[in-house]
Amino acid sequence: MINSLRGMNDILSDDYERFTYFINTATTIAQRYGFHFIETPLLEETALFKRGVGESSDIVGKEMYQFEDKGGNDVCLRPEGTAGVVRAFIQKKLDKAGGTHRFFYHGAMFRYERPQKGRLRQFHQFGVESFGVDNVYEDASMIMMVHDILKACGIGHRLQLNSLGCSICMPLYRKKLIGFVAKVEDKVCQDCVRRLETNPIRVLDCKNNTCQTLYADAPKLISNLCSECEDDFSKLKTILDQNNIEYEIDTNLVRGLDYYSKTAFEFVSDNIGSQSAIAGGGRYDRLVEFLDGKATPAVGFAMGIERLMELIVMPEKTRTGYYIGAMDEEALSLIVQITHKKRVTDKVSFDYKAKNLQKHLKAADKVNAKFCAIIGSNELKDAKIWVKDLENKTESTIKLEEF
Ligand code: HAM
């Protein structure tokens, strides 16, 4: 028997209902915020992610599904959605056109991680990217959108917030941090020694307990922001306060992708185990220019659909549509015709086998139909159909033409 690959799941039955319910809810809300759908390829040039997400990140350094295609191109399955959307934005010359461009997307992402609960190798994200607005109100609006989506799905959460500074204050802070870590370098883990070379601020979210204890007194990013970043950060907090959105400041929140500056945020759930991040995002004002476009401010987020599916409170199921059945073989071809017509406006299930009434009623109940409509030999003779409303428990026999 051939099974699916490790960390790659099928989505069907109940899971599929949750999956589509989430996508539909998130789509409706993203559209209310003025975002438009974008679809980018699953496969991109590896260089896009190396330059976009950053070679020092685990995602690019260790987790990419990278290979040479038959034409000798170095390609990989997308590990995240932002870099592809930025590429499309530049390729379509929207950077040169100026103005504001807002996109949402959903689809599969691939990371060769060690699979565990909540951590897959193929998983799905719902994400949004906004280009052209350098106002912190847009950052707040991203956070409010995630908040609205989670609320609509009945998902409790905590919001963690940080500012990663800009090209003025970040390099100065980085120097300070390197100076601090250098003093304890002989005691920190090998990963942190490597991070000091590649991307020093990533030491802050090291999961090693010894490192965390050593960094307890490390200089904090938000105490080292330039006046502009500091202003933006306090404005953001004020907007969130005014809109009753609770947050925690997490000075160690640096995000696993290298493109962020200023606002960084993560939504976490305490109900799904150790892989608790359900959404993450922030501002990435330098990425468009970094990928050879015209400098354009940008901000966005992505939500992990599989993690959210565990938490979604589904609305109560209501009975919909028809179940149509025959009690005699002769009525089957008529049933097919009726079903075909009825499906123009309604959801219809039907069985290709003639059965007794009890069996049909049971089947109608199983598919959650509102009406069970049956043709037996009497109905066939009189060109009528027996219909039971399974919600109100009423029944009647009506002419086929009225049905
Ligand atoms: P990210 O934090 O890497 O951000 O991923 C966003 C969400 O995807 C996570 O919060 C998590 O729920 C889900 N996720 C990530 N990895 C896995 C996995 N292996 N298995 C299951 N779920 C996972 C990004 O990808 C950025 N592109 C977000 C962004 C958009 N920033 C700006 N715009």
Side-chain angles (χ1 to χ4, degrees):
M1 189 178 76
I2 298 171
N3 290 320
S4 66
L5 296 173
R6 257 190 96 203
M8 299 200 174
N9 289 345
D10 303 306
I11 300 176
L12 67 164
S13 310
D14 282 357
D15 283 348
Y16 192 68
E17 273 181 35
R18 287 170 171 270
F19 187 86
T20 46
Y21 177 72
F22 177 77
I23 304 251
N24 291 340
T25 308
T27 297
T28 306
I29 292 173
Q31 285 170 335
R32 277 186 209 151
Y33 276 77
F35 283 70
H36 302 281
F37 183 67
I38 183 170
E39 172 86 17
T40 63
L42 267 62
L43 207 57
E44 297 266 9
E45 267 188 49
T46 302
L48 173 66
F49 300 105
K50 282 198 171 165
R51 272 167 66 191
V53 178
E55 289 199 67
S56 69
S57 67
D58 283 353
I59 295 174
V60 171
K62 303 183 189 165
E63 299 167 0
M64 290 222 286
Y65 277 88
Q66 182 183 355
F67 58 96
E68 197 181 286
D69 72 7
K70 287 185 166 55
N73 304 299
D74 182 1
V75 297
C76 72
L77 287 169
R78 62 180 183 192
E80 59 103 50
T82 310
V85 174
V86 172
R87 182 208 38 73
F89 174 75
I90 299 168
Q91 197 171 331
K92 289 275 183 263
K93 300 193 170 37
L94 300 176
D95 54 334
K96 310 272 181 333
T100 308
H101 303 271
R102 295 187 172 100
F103 302 105
F104 72 90
Y105 53 88
H106 46 82
M109 309 291 158
F110 303 83
R111 296 183 190 175
Y112 197 83
E113 297 196 75
R114 201 168 43 79
Q116 62 174 83
K117 185 175 178 298
R119 195 204 274 153
L120 297 162
R121 288 183 172 166
Q122 176 177 338
F123 59 98
H124 295 78
Q125 284 185 345
F126 181 92
V128 317
E129 314 294 349
S130 160
F131 298 96
V133 186
D134 65 1
N135 196 309
V136 75
Y137 274 98
E138 192 73 356
D139 309 35
S141 161
M142 296 291 126
I143 291 173
M144 290 193 239
M145 201 191 314
V146 181
H147 182 267
D148 287 357
I149 295 172
L150 293 175
K151 197 169 165 208
C153 294
I155 299 174
H157 55 268
R158 283 185 294 119
L159 163 62
Q160 298 172 333
L161 200 61
N162 196 14
S163 172
L164 297 179
C166 64
S167 51
I168 296 168
C169 50
M170 174 47 99
L172 297 173
Y173 169 76
R174 192 184 295 125
K175 236 186 200 167
K176 263 195 192 176
L177 184 67
I178 294 172
F180 177 90
V181 180
K183 286 188 216 141
V184 289
E185 198 177 336
D186 53 332
K187 299 192 194 89
V188 304
C189 73
Q190 279 311 301
D191 276 343
C192 280
V193 174
R194 187 177 48 80
R195 285 176 187 133
L196 265 189
E197 292 294 318
T198 55
N199 189 359
I201 65 156
R202 289 299 316 271
V203 304
L204 293 173
D205 74 348
C206 177
K207 301 289 174 281
N208 183 304
N209 286 339
T210 316
C211 293
Q212 274 312 320
T213 317
L214 289 167
Y215 304 147
D217 296 327
K220 303 278 178 274
L221 234 164
I222 50 166
S223 321
N224 286 274
L225 298 175
C226 63
S227 59
E228 193 192 306
C229 288
E230 173 129 33
D231 269 7
D232 276 351
F233 196 52
S234 61
K235 229 187 246 168
L236 176 63
K237 289 185 288 183
T238 307
I239 302 168
L240 297 178
D241 289 338
Q242 287 167 343
N243 287 281
N244 300 319
I245 295 182
E246 287 178 22
Y247 55 86
E248 303 157 9
I249 305 294
D250 181 352
T251 52
N252 289 344
L253 177 70
V254 293
R255 307 276 298 125
L257 309 101
D258 293 351
Y259 46 63
Y260 294 107
S261 54
K262 295 192 175 178
T263 309
F265 60 86
E266 252 173 35
F267 284 76
V268 294
S269 160
D270 296 324
N271 302 318
I272 47 169
S274 67
Q275 298 306 305
S276 59
I278 47 178
R283 186 161 273 283
Y284 52 95
D285 288 344
R286 286 172 309 210
L287 186 56
V288 177
E289 195 176 12
F290 212 65
L291 292 173
D292 303 325
K294 186 177 162 206
T296 307
V299 57
F301 68 79
M303 312 179 79
I305 302 181
E306 280 81 357
R307 291 183 192 172
L308 294 163
M309 275 160 61
E310 275 196 50
L311 300 164
I312 293 175
V313 180
M314 292 291 283
E316 224 175 279
K317 272 191 186 168
T318 49
R319 292 188 174 277
T320 49
Y322 290 79
Y323 172 96
I324 302 181
M327 286 166 65
D328 284 297
E329 290 284 330
E330 303 91 82
L332 277 174
S333 62
L334 181 59
I335 293 285
V336 176
Q337 291 169 43
I338 297 170
T339 300
H340 188 217
K341 276 192 192 153
K342 207 74 186 154
R343 277 186 178 149
V344 174
T345 50
D346 292 277
K347 178 184 167 201
V348 183
S349 311
F350 85 102
D351 202 316
Y352 297 103
K353 279 192 192 130
K355 289 182 192 166
N356 69 33
L357 185 60
Q358 281 318 310
K359 282 189 178 159
H360 278 311
L361 282 167
K362 228 177 172 177
D365 188 49
K366 206 170 163 196
V367 296
N368 220 21
K370 177 158 164 54
F371 298 102
C372 178
I374 305 295
I375 297 191
S377 50
N378 285 344
E379 286 82 10
L380 188 63
K381 189 162 55 64
D382 303 340
K384 287 186 171 171
I385 187 162
W386 177 86
V387 183
K388 179 164 183 180
D389 182 329
L390 298 175
E391 215 165 64
N392 304 335
K393 314 281 180 219
T394 51
E395 49 185 87
S396 56
T397 302
I398 56 173
K399 284 188 189 152
L400 269 181
E401 65 214 49
E402 283 166 19
F403 182 72

